[in-house]
Amino acid sequence: MLLLAGSVWPASAADQRAVNYDEAKVPAYTLPDPLVMNDGTTVADAAAWREKRRSEVLELYRTHVFGRSPGRPAGMTFKITSCDRQALGGKAMRKEVAVFFTGKQDGPSMSILIYLPNGAAKPVPAFVGLNFGGNHAINSDPGITLSTRWMRPGRAKDGSVVDNRATEKGRGTEARRWPVDMILARGYALATIYYGDLEPGHAEGWKTGIRAALGDAGANTQFAPDAWGAIGAWAWGLSRAMDYFETDGDIDAKRVAVMGHSRLGKTALWAGAQDERFAIVISNNSGEGGAAITRRCFGETITIINTAFPHWFCANFKKYNGRENDLPVDAHMLVALAAPRPVYVASATEDQWADPRGEFLACKHADPVYRLLGKDGLGVEQMPPPDQPVGKTIGYHCRTGKHDVTDYDWRQYLAFADRHFGRNNSP
Ligand code: GTR
């Protein structure tokens, strides 16, 4: 299967006919109120959100959408496998850290690639995100270890086909989405992990991923209806990276922003929802199952996503195919699970598949939770024109262009992090 742009990928011709891109045809819907408890009573104050309602919403997401993930494995160990203090022409320290989930070096593991800005006062704040193409794809730095995991077949920069083994040609193929120099120049570290270390990105990927190695896969054929899907597995890996950051004196683990694009944007939202150690949560073009209001049935729908990617969510989520209104949550509640921490949602004008307006509305309807917690939330009522970032503790923009991560997006994330981390280095 070749990697296709996320903006146009309905599962079949029939699904394609069913896709709605007409605002006038968005059905009438009522969103579940994030501030109404399961028993019908209203959340009266910040303490009630923190102590009761937040866990209820999290539990609803676990049961119906992403499934339940295990915690930190007891025997997990870390090993620095490489360190170069003069990487990228002297600009950065590059570290690679192996995380052995069961403590066994031949057991399930992931590799974290970290760049730290040289000359910055330590510990530094950091961005962490999963990548699609292997750590070696995020920069052409020849010092990055080539991934030995399964790779999605694709094309190298010279146009030649890269098969499912990483080769030298794969280096830097995703660099466009990872402006390492810009991030370092602003005084942030960047940490990234290949998502395939946790679970390769295809329907059978779980068999060689951590869900089989650590989860409740049993005979490797059946998952419990609320057991974690692939997104749960990927998000779990981000929390294990956070476990590592807490041990690394170069990184300020209290100032880590988790960021992801597309399916990995859904993953970043879910990681940030479950793990409050992430200080900022950033969703780039996450769309259906991420930041887009699913009840709008605009662009990708639950049926389409569960058909094309049956492995992403828990089995229970399939009950909501074509029954969006019965789902006890919607995307505004996923955004609100970041509260009171800053959360940023980014859309793109040509990414109608991900429903930019639905992503904006999720921010807007998360706003009451932020306000209850004494934060200033989104602070606007209307969706802003393209390329006009808005918001306070909830940030939002809709960039001109396609489903992608661009320097424009990163500039907004850096400025947002600067503001919330009390840094004054915005250009
Ligand atoms: C699309 C999918 C989106 C998005 C994207 C990706 O085709 O429909 O929900 O997640 O793939 O992650 O590549």
Side-chain angles (χ1 to χ4, degrees):
M1 183 168 59
L2 283 174
L3 180 60
L4 301 176
S7 41
V8 267
W9 194 2
S12 67
D15 285 333
Q16 194 150 21
R17 279 194 302 275
V19 175
N20 177 42
Y21 291 116
D22 180 353
E23 199 56 41
K25 293 197 180 127
V26 169
Y29 62 87
T30 306
L31 289 177
D33 187 334
L35 295 177
V36 173
M37 303 276 303
N38 292 347
D39 68 6
T41 59
T42 299
V43 175
D45 52 24
W49 170 268
R50 276 198 308 269
E51 286 153 26
K52 297 199 191 106
R53 181 58 177 158
R54 185 179 191 282
S55 0
E56 273 191 6
V57 175
L58 201 51
E59 198 51 27
L60 291 170
Y61 261 98
R62 287 194 179 114
T63 309
H64 301 281
V65 184
F66 296 114
R68 242 164 263 285
S69 308
R72 173 187 174 141
M76 184 170 70
T77 55
F78 309 118
K79 182 179 172 191
I80 298 183
T81 52
S82 80
C83 182
D84 178 352
R85 291 177 185 276
Q86 295 298 325
L88 304 176
K91 264 183 258 172
M93 184 201 287
R94 182 192 58 244
K95 285 191 218 184
E96 292 175 304
V97 180
V99 181
F100 300 112
F101 298 129
T102 58
K104 297 199 189 102
Q105 303 220 355
D106 57 354
S109 68
M110 68 178 186
S111 172
I112 315 176
L113 166 68
I114 305 171
Y115 284 109
L116 294 143
N118 277 340
K122 305 265 173 65
V124 289
F127 285 87
V128 61
L130 300 177
N131 66 70
F132 283 97
N135 293 348
H136 62 276
I138 74 127
N139 194 278
S140 47
D141 177 355
I144 305 173
T145 303
L146 278 187
S147 174
T148 54
R149 312 286 178 131
W150 180 92
M151 293 283 145
R152 184 176 297 283
R155 296 212 174 260
K157 276 186 290 198
D158 65 4
S160 61
V161 172
V162 178
D163 74 5
N164 56 12
R165 289 237 156 257
T167 65
E168 289 295 328
K169 284 185 180 170
R171 288 194 186 281
T173 42
E174 258 187 53
R176 196 174 43 86
R177 287 181 174 174
W178 297 95
V180 177
D181 288 352
M182 186 195 329
I183 296 166
L184 292 168
R186 296 283 287 265
Y188 289 85
L190 174 67
T192 186
I193 303 135
Y194 174 45
Y195 83 138
D197 283 9
L198 298 147
E199 174 161 334
H202 58 87
E204 304 287 299
W206 64 272
K207 293 182 179 169
T208 54
I210 56 163
R211 284 198 287 154
L214 307 172
D216 72 341
N220 284 357
T221 51
Q222 279 287 315
F223 286 97
D226 63 348
W228 51 346
I231 292 174
W234 297 324
W236 183 89
L238 287 164
S239 284
R240 303 294 71 82
M242 179 55 99
D243 295 337
Y244 168 73
F245 301 150
E246 290 184 326
T247 70
D248 185 329
D250 291 339
I251 296 175
D252 184 350
K254 299 237 174 311
R255 289 186 299 164
V256 175
V258 60
M259 177 272 178
H261 169 61
S262 203
R263 75 193 65 176
L264 302 179
K266 308 180 212 297
T267 302
L269 284 167
W270 183 227
Q274 295 175 97
D275 191 336
E276 295 181 272
R277 294 174 298 172
F278 292 112
I280 295 182
V281 183
I282 303 169
S283 149
N284 192 92
N285 305 182
S286 63
E288 181 66 32
I293 295 288
T294 200
R295 281 168 171 73
R296 285 171 43 82
C297 299
F298 188 103
E300 191 172 29
T301 61
I302 297 184
T303 309
I304 296 173
I305 206 164
N306 276 333
T307 308
F309 307 102
H311 54 297
W312 281 3
F313 300 88
C314 71
N316 274 341
F317 194 48
K318 296 197 175 59
K319 290 188 195 156
Y320 300 98
N321 285 351
R323 295 179 41 217
E324 289 74 15
N325 288 306
D326 294 337
L327 186 67
V329 291
D330 213 318
H332 60 312
M333 293 158 82
L334 183 57
V335 173
L337 282 171
R341 296 161 295 158
V343 60
Y344 200 109
V345 172
S347 311
T349 54
E350 291 170 40
D351 189 16
Q352 294 296 310
W353 181 241
D355 187 11
R357 177 169 293 280
E359 296 192 312
F360 170 77
L361 290 172
C363 295
K364 177 170 162 172
H365 294 293
D367 195 71
V369 176
Y370 276 79
R371 289 189 186 271
L372 182 79
L373 299 179
K375 298 288 173 180
D376 40 16
L378 185 65
V380 298
E381 288 293 313
Q382 301 301 324
M383 186 166 170
D387 308 320
Q388 198 172 295
V390 293
K392 305 272 173 55
T393 319
I394 304 175
Y396 176 83
H397 74 248
C398 184
R399 165 181 53 75
T400 302
K402 294 193 177 17
H403 184 73
D404 202 354
V405 194
T406 68
D407 283 5
Y408 177 88
D409 297 313
W410 273 104
R411 280 198 296 275
Q412 312 320 313
Y413 305 152
L414 286 159
F416 190 71
D418 279 355
R419 278 206 305 280
H420 291 288
F421 289 155
R423 292 163 66 79
N424 221 355
N425 61 3
S426 297

